[in-house]
Amino acid sequence: MKKIYFSILVLLSALSNAQDLELKGIIDFTVPEGGNNGKALHLHVINAISDLSLYGIGVANNGGGTDGQEYTFPAIPANAGDHILLPRSTTAMTNYMGSLNHFTIILEDAIATQNGDDAIELFYNGTVIETFGDIDCQASADGTTVVCPNYQYYEDAWAYKEGSTWIYGAAQCTDGSTTSSTSTCPYPFLDPALSSATFENNKVTIFPNPVAQGEEITFLNNENNLKKVTLLDASGRIVLVQNNQNNKLSLNQIYSGFYTLQIAFENKIVSSKLIVK
């Protein structure tokens, strides 16, 4: 019994440590330097980590499933609240963002190979602890047809996690820009005051959730600037699309189950889960 109890404690300790690092941003900017220079990965340290080399990254390209851990962080410590950037080009990213002072740790590496529709895996001790996107999904080439429940097109744009919710810059929104601030979708992390206001303005309250089959849900947000709502089933199939007219969505003829709502603003998309009882 003592041996089993000790094993459980070790497992719980390992799981606790695994939550000390999280994915924060997936970046695929179009930068003046061209090529892959605008790609980067952004991570956030939740609790202090004595050895970052326990963690690693894998990029699951083209819906072909996991490629396993392809990058291991160096054996350095990190403090709670630190933000880590893995740019392919520190110079290009500095030029485009204006400054990298917001990031505590910068580790230039070629691991950021995502092409605007690829999934990212975060590893701890060789085990996946967080996944962005769908590792088994090969997204459509048009950038609009959703074929997987956890898929979002972010080519020449970005994905950014606020709390537990991923928000997205509109695809190709950095094309033609020379800096993030001159694009139509500045990266939210660069100006905390601006990003907080942006998140607050684009925060959506959905109620009721869960919702009974056949009922209506209501969306509330500060600026009333929702453009379109798309409802996807658990297999990623689009079952309902509605241009936002009255901040309401009727769920007539929608079966019970788990769904994903994609709520489109002017320059970003917020995804949220919905349960239909």
Side-chain angles (χ1 to χ4, degrees):
M1 177 64 71
K2 290 183 178 179
K3 185 175 182 180
I4 295 175
Y5 180 69
F6 177 75
S7 298
I8 292 174
L9 286 178
V10 170
L11 176 60
L12 290 176
S13 176
L15 290 174
S16 174
N17 291 337
Q19 304 306 309
D20 292 341
L21 187 66
E22 65 173 346
L23 296 171
K24 186 67 174 176
I26 316 299
I27 295 171
D28 187 34
F29 298 150
T30 298
V31 296
E33 289 81 358
N36 293 319
N37 290 304
K39 299 181 188 296
L41 296 172
H42 175 187
L43 297 99
H44 171 242
V45 180
I46 301 171
N47 299 304
I49 300 171
S50 60
D51 184 0
L52 270 178
S53 68
L54 294 172
Y55 294 85
I57 294 289
V59 179
N61 302 101
N62 304 319
T66 183
D67 293 323
Q69 183 169 323
E70 301 169 285
Y71 171 83
T72 300
F73 286 91
I76 59 174
N79 297 317
D82 284 355
H83 285 265
I84 303 172
L85 184 70
L86 275 69
R88 288 181 68 95
S89 168
T90 302
T91 299
M93 203 57 64
T94 300
N95 292 340
Y96 192 76
M97 290 188 175
S99 169
L100 298 184
N101 291 338
H102 288 71
F103 299 96
T104 316
I105 300 173
I106 300 169
L107 304 168
E108 184 174 304
D109 194 89
I111 181 58
T113 58
Q114 67 274 3
N115 291 314
D117 57 7
D118 295 322
I120 310 296
E121 294 177 297
L122 176 62
F123 291 81
Y124 174 75
N125 269 339
T127 300
V128 175
I129 59 170
E130 183 181 358
T131 302
F132 165 82
D134 192 326
I135 63 172
D136 297 312
C137 170
Q138 184 166 7
S140 60
D142 61 12
T144 59
T145 304
V146 178
V147 293
C148 307
N150 296 317
Y151 158 73
Q152 175 61 44
Y153 202 63
Y154 58 93
E155 182 185 50
D156 300 342
W158 45 260
Y160 185 83
K161 186 167 66 176
E162 171 64 9
S164 60
T165 299
W166 284 96
I167 65 172
Y168 303 85
Q172 288 88 44
C173 64
T174 65
D175 287 357
S177 61
T178 57
T179 63
S180 177
S181 61
T182 60
S183 73
T184 60
C185 57
Y187 188 56
F189 180 68
L190 297 182
D191 186 340
L194 175 62
S195 65
S196 296
T198 300
F199 288 137
E200 191 63 32
N201 289 339
N202 289 334
K203 182 179 179 181
V204 182
T205 300
I206 303 167
F207 68 90
N209 186 13
V211 59
Q213 185 180 8
E215 287 189 351
E216 186 176 69
I217 56 175
T218 300
F219 303 93
L220 292 180
N221 80 303
N222 291 354
E223 291 193 346
N224 196 31
N225 63 348
L226 298 180
K227 300 299 181 183
K228 183 174 71 173
V229 178
T230 303
L231 184 68
L232 300 89
D233 65 16
S235 66
R237 182 175 62 93
I238 296 177
V239 296
L240 184 62
V241 178
Q242 175 181 293
N243 292 324
N244 189 64
Q245 297 173 340
N246 56 6
N247 280 19
K248 295 183 182 295
L249 182 68
S250 175
L251 298 177
N252 289 330
Q253 301 180 352
I254 301 298
Y255 297 106
S256 300
F258 293 89
Y259 294 85
T260 298
L261 282 167
Q262 291 188 341
I263 307 162
F265 295 95
E266 186 69 35
N267 291 312
K268 56 175 63 69
I269 298 173
V270 175
S271 295
S272 179
K273 299 298 182 184
L274 177 70
I275 301 174
V276 179
K277 297 184 292 183

Coordinates of all heavy atoms in Angstrom, one line a residue, residues 30 172 174-178 182:
T30 N 3.9 38.0 -41.8 CA 4.5 38.4 -43.1 C 5.5 39.6 -42.7 O 5.0 40.6 -42.4 CB 3.5 38.8 -44.2 OG1 2.7 37.7 -44.4 CG2 4.3 39.2 -45.4
Q172 N -4.0 36.3 -43.4 CA -3.3 37.3 -44.2 C -3.4 38.7 -43.7 O -3.1 39.7 -44.5 CB -3.9 37.3 -45.7 CG -3.5 36.0 -46.5 CD -4.5 34.9 -46.3 OE1 -5.7 35.1 -46.3 NE2 -4.0 33.7 -46.1
T174 N -1.4 40.3 -41.8 CA -0.1 41.0 -41.7 C 0.5 41.3 -43.1 O 1.6 41.9 -43.2 CB 0.9 40.3 -40.9 OG1 1.2 39.0 -41.5 CG2 0.3 40.0 -39.5
D175 N -0.1 40.8 -44.2 CA 0.4 41.0 -45.5 C 0.5 42.5 -45.8 O -0.5 43.3 -45.5 CB -0.5 40.3 -46.6 CG -0.4 38.8 -46.5 OD1 0.5 38.3 -45.8 OD2 -1.1 38.1 -47.3
G176 N 1.6 42.9 -46.4 CA 1.7 44.3 -46.8 C 2.1 45.3 -45.7 O 2.3 46.5 -46.0
S177 N 2.3 44.8 -44.5 CA 2.7 45.6 -43.4 C 4.2 45.5 -43.1 O 4.8 44.5 -43.5 CB 1.9 45.3 -42.1 OG 2.2 43.9 -41.7
T178 N 4.8 46.5 -42.5 CA 6.2 46.5 -42.2 C 6.4 46.4 -40.7 O 7.5 46.0 -40.3 CB 6.8 47.8 -42.7 OG1 6.2 49.0 -42.1 CG2 6.8 48.0 -44.2
T182 N 1.4 48.6 -37.7 CA 0.8 49.1 -39.0 C 0.0 48.0 -39.7 O -0.6 48.3 -40.7 CB 1.9 49.6 -40.0 OG1 2.8 48.5 -40.3 CG2 2.8 50.7 -39.3

